[in-house]
Amino acid sequence: MQMTVMTDRQSVPSTYFDTPGRLPVTVVAEAAAAVRHEPNIEAMLEAIPGPAFLLNTTRQIVLANQAGWRLADSLGASDGITGLRLGEALACLNVSLGPDGCGTGPKCRHCAMGQANREFSRRPGTYDAEFRLRSVVDGKEGSHTFAAHVSPIQLLGETMRLCSLTDITAAKSRDAHEHIFFHDVLNTAQAMHGAADLLPIQDDPGVVKDLAHVVSRASSTLIQEIEAQRDLRLAEDGTLSVALVPACVADIVADTVRLYRHSRVARARTIDLEIVSGETVVPTSRMHLTRVVGNLIKNALEASAEGEVVRVRVVPRAAEVEIQVGNPALMPEAVQAQIFQRFFSTKASFGRGLGTYGVRLLVTRVFGGTVDFASTPGHGTVFSVWLPRLVADA
């Protein structure tokens, strides 16, 4: 649904998804006062163990329990939430993209909570949704996953919706890390164990040398995988401490490209590297930047068909160095809307989704940089990482 309003200059969408329009905050506050006089309503809200919100027909918050107020306050809504929509109270980054706030933006159609709200407006009933939310608190971006339960309740002559939330971020994080550990780390350990078992029974020096190389390479990979997950957890907690030293971005990217040109995922695909002339030395960490660039190259290769080219560019800028990783594939709109969300993945395997989320986390929290992407017909998909030449509090 895309409703429009006419202005003197152009036609401007009033919504990209759900119905626009809301009541004045004073009217919502009056409704809140009236609802409080309804028998047992506040007691019912407080009986819900997690955050709970009572929403009117325009999806605005009328009342919330103490857990709901605490959640909103922790996300920056210290000035009050009465009259706000749920995404606004929870500081969703996509709210500003909607002409009428939460529910009306182009990305809202891909939000499970937005979909549940829209279905409720059409057919009031009970709905369950698991939705991911990105927010910024004190200048730091965070990612949350909630399980929502929406049910109808008749109050003040209208069908309001009672929305209760359960924060399942920690459970999702545990499941994801356990999957990575039990799947990826175990596979590497098994390969190392198999090669080590063969070593004592070999007489051919050439075979022994090859097996020793397999053990060495597998053990190195194992250490890197464990360190990567450790660093990701510390970065999420804001406790990752990395010493940044001046290093040549062009050299690090070139080494990473050489590594992935010989990887299994690059089979029948080409990686083209262009380094634009200029100074590319910035404060960085070789290990972490290799992870970032490697992850983007791997994703680009997986999104490319056989015979296609993944293009990597290093472009010096005035105050930063830009790294571009592109492939010819056009990213679906639903994927674009959630690509940096925690636990979102285009892969079917359970527990994935830390890739692009981890890239953004490391770029912003380790390097003090930024990362974004563009996916357009005829140009494919290009991820860009900007690394500043000067990093505050490095």
Side-chain angles (χ1 to χ4, degrees):
M1 176 174 63
Q2 180 170 314
M3 302 174 62
T4 60
V5 294
M6 300 300 296
T7 67
D8 293 338
R9 288 187 172 183
Q10 59 184 346
S11 177
V12 179
S14 62
T15 184
Y16 290 91
F17 185 57
D18 209 344
T19 309
R22 62 180 73 203
L23 298 174
V25 175
T26 54
V27 175
V28 179
E30 290 173 359
V35 167
R36 287 192 181 94
H37 288 91
E38 294 286 327
N40 302 321
I41 288 297
E42 288 190 293
M44 177 194 69
L45 284 173
E46 294 303 331
I48 299 173
F53 304 86
L54 186 64
L55 312 180
N56 63 13
T57 54
T58 52
R59 310 186 304 282
Q60 292 170 269
I61 296 173
V62 178
L63 282 182
N65 63 2
Q66 291 300 311
W69 278 98
R70 286 194 298 270
L71 173 62
D73 185 64
S74 70
L75 295 174
S78 56
D79 295 333
I81 60 175
T82 301
L84 298 181
R85 292 188 176 132
L86 191 59
E88 296 157 3
L90 302 183
C92 174
L93 283 177
N94 294 326
V95 163
S96 60
L97 305 177
D100 192 28
C102 177
T104 65
K107 295 185 179 181
C108 295
R109 69 186 69 178
H110 306 295
C111 171
M113 187 65 215
Q115 294 167 359
N117 261 326
R118 191 183 189 197
E119 286 303 310
F120 187 99
S121 297
R122 292 173 170 176
R123 292 180 295 275
T126 300
Y127 296 90
D128 291 291
E130 182 180 301
F131 69 100
R132 292 173 290 270
L133 179 139
R134 285 170 53 210
S135 61
V136 173
V137 180
D138 296 331
K140 290 186 177 180
E141 183 176 317
S143 188
H144 316 271
T145 305
F146 294 101
H149 180 77
V150 184
S151 57
I153 180 171
Q154 296 295 324
L155 289 168
L156 306 182
E158 65 176 274
T159 303
M160 293 190 179
R161 60 197 80 182
L162 179 60
C163 176
S164 60
L165 303 181
T166 302
D167 190 340
I168 58 174
T169 306
K172 283 286 185 179
S173 179
R174 183 188 65 247
D175 291 344
H177 286 291
E178 283 181 356
H179 176 87
I180 289 169
F181 184 83
F182 291 133
H183 183 271
D184 299 347
V185 173
L186 185 59
N187 283 350
T188 304
Q190 286 173 338
M192 184 169 61
H193 179 70
D197 276 350
L198 293 173
L199 274 171
I201 61 175
Q202 297 298 323
D203 297 325
D204 187 334
V207 174
V208 171
K209 183 178 180 181
D210 289 342
L211 288 174
H213 178 67
V214 170
V215 171
S216 176
R217 185 172 58 184
S219 61
S220 177
T221 300
L222 185 64
I223 292 171
Q224 290 174 11
E225 289 174 347
I226 294 172
E227 287 178 339
Q229 294 307 309
R230 177 204 62 193
D231 289 352
L232 188 60
R233 292 295 295 268
L234 293 175
E236 288 178 311
D237 296 339
T239 57
L240 177 61
S241 178
V242 177
L244 303 183
V245 298
C248 180
V249 173
D251 289 347
I252 296 173
V253 172
D255 289 344
T256 309
V257 167
R258 279 192 289 270
L259 176 67
Y260 275 87
R261 276 178 176 157
H262 301 288
S263 67
R264 183 176 57 184
V265 73
R267 187 176 302 159
R269 295 161 178 81
T270 302
I271 305 177
D272 179 69
L273 173 62
E274 178 188 0
I275 298 177
V276 178
S277 62
E279 181 60 66
T280 65
V281 173
V282 301
T284 189
S285 161
R286 172 176 283 272
M287 178 179 69
H288 294 89
L289 184 56
T290 299
R291 286 183 195 160
V292 166
V293 177
N295 192 293
L296 293 178
I297 293 175
K298 180 174 179 288
N299 288 347
L301 289 168
E302 290 177 340
S304 302
E306 290 188 2
E308 291 185 333
V309 179
V310 168
R311 302 192 184 278
V312 181
R313 299 181 74 226
V314 178
V315 186
R317 305 291 186 189
E320 57 204 358
V321 174
E322 181 182 359
I323 304 168
Q324 300 173 357
V325 179
N327 69 86
L330 183 65
M331 192 185 298
E333 182 185 342
V335 176
Q336 293 186 43
Q338 305 176 76
I339 192 65
F340 289 121
Q341 294 279 20
R342 194 182 195 186
F343 312 126
F344 174 77
S345 176
T346 57
K347 301 179 181 69
S349 56
F350 175 77
R352 300 289 181 166
L354 293 174
T356 49
Y357 166 76
V359 165
R360 171 166 267 183
L361 201 62
L362 291 178
V363 169
T364 57
R365 296 196 180 181
V366 174
F367 306 131
T370 56
V371 58
D372 209 341
F373 73 96
S375 189
T376 54
H379 296 88
T381 300
V382 179
F383 279 82
S384 295
V385 173
W386 292 272
L387 303 176
R389 296 192 184 278
L390 296 175
V391 181
D393 299 326

